[in-house]
Amino acid sequence: MLRGMTNSTTHVFTLSLARSQHCKPLLTLSSLWNNVKDGSFLLHSSYTTDIKSKVENKRTVENLYRLSVDIKKIRRLKEWVLFQDAAYVKETANTLREMGADKTAIANILERCPEAILRTPAEINSQRDLWQSVCQNEKQLVKLIEQFPESFFTVEHHENQKSNVQFFQELGLKNNIISRFFTSAPDIFYKPVEKNKHIVETLQRMYLNLGGSNANMKIWLLKLLSQNPFILLNSSTAVQENLEFLQKKDFTDSEVLQLLSRLKGFIFNLSPNTMQKSMFFSKDVFKCSDQELKELVLKCPALLYNSVPILEERLKGLLKEGISVDQIKETPMVLELTTQIVQYRIKKLAALGYNIKNGNLGNLNGTKRDFEATYCRIQAKRERPMFNPVAPLD
């Protein structure tokens, strides 16, 4: 199965291993594949156990009961934890308590991530110090641990995490952004810092080659990383291939830079093949030339990064509402919205007597706040009297 995984996998999946008997928990897909390749997989298998020949660690179960932890839930999801000879239930609970976690929070954390009790006090304290270095206070730290316990108790890559935190701080990323990375994109910390440095250098070089200025490069880079840290999970080769694809489609350097900024770097999560298919689909639907297609993509990058099935579904949804292809071509940004959002907004406008088929399709566009502003504006216009009944006729 692992051989079928691609290097572009960027979603933050963590193996639950709830029913596995052969792997250490909290090991990410990317790190697991790397361990298999370099032969260090066995180093992560210290919790391997044959459940059939084991009995529960009585002391572990008793200590968890005293903390009001739902043992049945652990038995159902991660039973193997209870069979380990070495466990640090009291020590883990005490550390969480010292940070300010109450009884309910401690129980919730250990139910969601029972592997936490297998971490030594030294490992947990090292993580505590590292996470605390980018958190405002321990109250925020406890809140993050309660929400994302798996990320906090992943200790196998502590030295890499520490080096990457220092690197991100040196780049100029604020601590609140780095703390968000810990929970939203933990995989970027597990890599050796040299690999993240290489990707950052590739992005900097690319920005300058596309006509960006040294004066603006830092701001551009920090914004890009803040919006899409997953870009660090890509290889420099993938970044270069996608860049070359756009250039072969006759996008100018400034237009490529514009797309990169508008797409928040997510373009590097795609492949040339996927983008090619999406562009062919759009060209066929809108019956346009290569130049017209390029202009449409610049107006609506969704035509580039959305897959054909997604574009097809959204197009059908719009046509079903009586909207023509010409209207969509005129306002392609509507394809950035899901079918459900479009249907909801059309229905809401219709309640005001606004017929989107004969109106401006652009009134559907934008964020939730943008649409609410548009809705209020149309509503106010509809409710405004046609004339002032108390004004003099002359």
Side-chain angles (χ1 to χ4, degrees):
M1 178 184 73
L2 293 174
R3 293 178 180 175
M5 303 299 296
T6 64
N7 290 332
S8 62
T9 303
T10 56
H11 300 292
V12 191
F13 288 131
T14 301
L15 290 177
S16 70
L17 303 183
R19 300 177 178 81
S20 175
Q21 300 176 23
H22 305 289
C23 302
K24 185 174 181 177
L26 301 176
L27 194 59
T28 60
L29 291 174
S30 56
S31 61
L32 180 60
W33 174 233
N34 290 333
N35 290 331
V36 171
K37 288 193 295 183
D38 65 20
S40 62
F41 177 70
L42 293 180
L43 296 178
H44 295 282
S45 304
S46 58
Y47 300 137
T48 298
T49 178
D50 182 1
I51 293 178
K52 294 180 181 178
S53 63
K54 291 283 186 177
V55 293
E56 291 182 355
N57 185 321
K58 185 177 180 181
R59 179 177 295 181
T60 297
V61 173
E62 289 176 351
N63 288 335
L64 289 171
Y65 268 127
R66 292 192 185 99
L67 293 170
S68 300
V69 175
D70 188 346
I71 304 295
K72 291 182 179 179
K73 184 176 181 180
I74 295 179
R75 285 177 178 144
R76 186 174 68 253
L77 298 178
K78 299 185 179 181
E79 181 183 25
W80 58 269
V81 172
L82 303 176
F83 293 90
Q84 306 308 314
D85 294 330
Y88 306 91
V89 181
K90 290 183 179 180
E91 294 87 344
T92 302
N94 286 338
T95 301
L96 292 171
R97 197 176 292 114
E98 288 173 5
M99 287 189 278
D102 59 23
K103 182 178 180 180
T104 302
I106 293 172
N108 287 337
I109 290 170
L110 297 184
E111 285 172 12
R112 289 186 57 192
C113 184
E115 303 96 313
I117 66 174
L118 305 180
R119 308 311 188 196
T120 67
E123 289 173 329
I124 293 178
N125 283 325
S126 293
Q127 285 294 88
R128 174 184 180 178
D129 292 341
L130 180 60
W131 282 50
Q132 185 63 66
S133 69
V134 295
C135 288
Q136 295 178 354
N137 49 51
E138 288 200 323
K139 183 178 180 180
Q140 182 195 15
L141 175 56
V142 170
K143 185 177 180 180
L144 289 177
I145 296 174
E146 189 172 5
Q147 293 175 331
F148 306 94
E150 293 86 356
S151 295
F152 179 80
F153 289 106
T154 298
V155 300
E156 292 85 358
H157 313 279
H158 179 77
E159 288 305 315
N160 283 345
Q161 291 180 22
K162 189 175 179 179
S163 298
N164 279 305
V165 166
Q166 183 179 353
F167 170 59
F168 292 144
Q169 289 174 330
E170 291 171 353
L171 272 180
L173 283 169
K174 295 181 179 180
N175 284 339
N176 65 315
I177 300 296
I178 298 174
S179 64
R180 176 161 56 83
F181 288 174
F182 265 140
T183 56
S184 64
D187 279 9
I188 67 174
F189 293 94
Y190 304 157
K191 300 166 56 180
V193 67
E194 291 76 16
K195 291 189 176 181
N196 282 332
K197 286 182 177 179
H198 183 60
I199 291 295
V200 166
E201 289 168 359
T202 299
L203 293 172
Q204 292 172 326
R205 186 166 54 252
M206 176 201 69
Y207 177 79
L208 294 176
N209 289 340
L210 290 174
S213 67
N214 273 305
N216 295 326
M217 182 175 67
K218 182 176 180 179
I219 296 175
W220 177 83
L221 177 65
L222 294 183
K223 184 177 181 180
L224 186 70
L225 293 176
S226 298
Q227 294 174 325
N228 178 23
F230 300 107
I231 196 172
L232 294 172
L233 296 178
N234 290 292
S235 67
S236 56
T237 302
V239 171
Q240 189 61 38
E241 286 178 350
N242 285 358
L243 182 62
E244 290 175 357
F245 170 82
L246 293 175
Q247 292 172 327
K248 288 178 181 178
K249 292 297 179 181
D250 292 330
F251 286 96
T252 65
D253 287 349
S254 62
E255 289 171 342
V256 172
L257 200 56
Q258 177 187 334
L259 283 173
L260 291 178
S261 300
R262 289 190 63 186
L263 288 171
K264 305 173 185 178
F266 284 105
I267 191 171
F268 295 131
N269 299 345
L270 305 173
S271 69
N273 185 49
T274 301
M275 292 187 285
Q276 179 79 305
K277 289 180 179 178
S278 296
M279 291 184 72
F280 273 148
F281 174 79
S282 298
K283 184 177 181 180
D284 182 60
V285 168
F286 296 120
K287 310 299 180 187
C288 57
S289 65
D290 289 341
Q291 179 60 30
E292 288 175 322
L293 177 61
K294 192 179 80 166
E295 292 172 1
L296 285 173
V297 168
L298 290 171
K299 288 173 65 176
C300 177
L303 296 176
L304 189 66
Y305 69 77
N306 278 331
S307 65
V308 171
I310 291 177
L311 290 174
E312 194 169 24
E313 177 198 358
R314 294 181 180 182
L315 186 67
K316 286 181 178 178
L318 289 166
L319 295 177
K320 189 176 180 180
E321 295 293 336
I323 298 169
S324 68
V325 171
D326 287 339
Q327 281 180 291
I328 300 171
K329 184 178 180 180
E330 185 69 26
T331 314
M333 289 290 287
V334 73
L335 290 170
E336 294 195 344
L337 305 172
T338 66
T339 301
Q340 292 75 16
I341 291 176
V342 167
Q343 291 173 340
Y344 167 78
R345 293 183 178 183
I346 289 176
K347 185 176 180 180
K348 194 164 183 179
L349 291 177
L352 296 177
Y354 187 89
N355 187 346
I356 195 65
K357 289 186 288 187
N358 301 320
N360 181 5
L361 203 57
N363 287 329
L364 298 176
N365 290 340
T367 63
K368 181 179 179 180
R369 180 178 295 181
D370 294 334
F371 175 73
E372 290 301 328
T374 299
Y375 175 83
C376 290
R377 187 174 65 252
I378 294 175
Q379 185 180 40
K381 187 175 181 181
R382 298 276 172 171
E383 293 174 352
R384 190 181 302 143
M386 297 298 292
F387 65 94
N388 188 340
V390 297
L393 294 177
D394 56 352

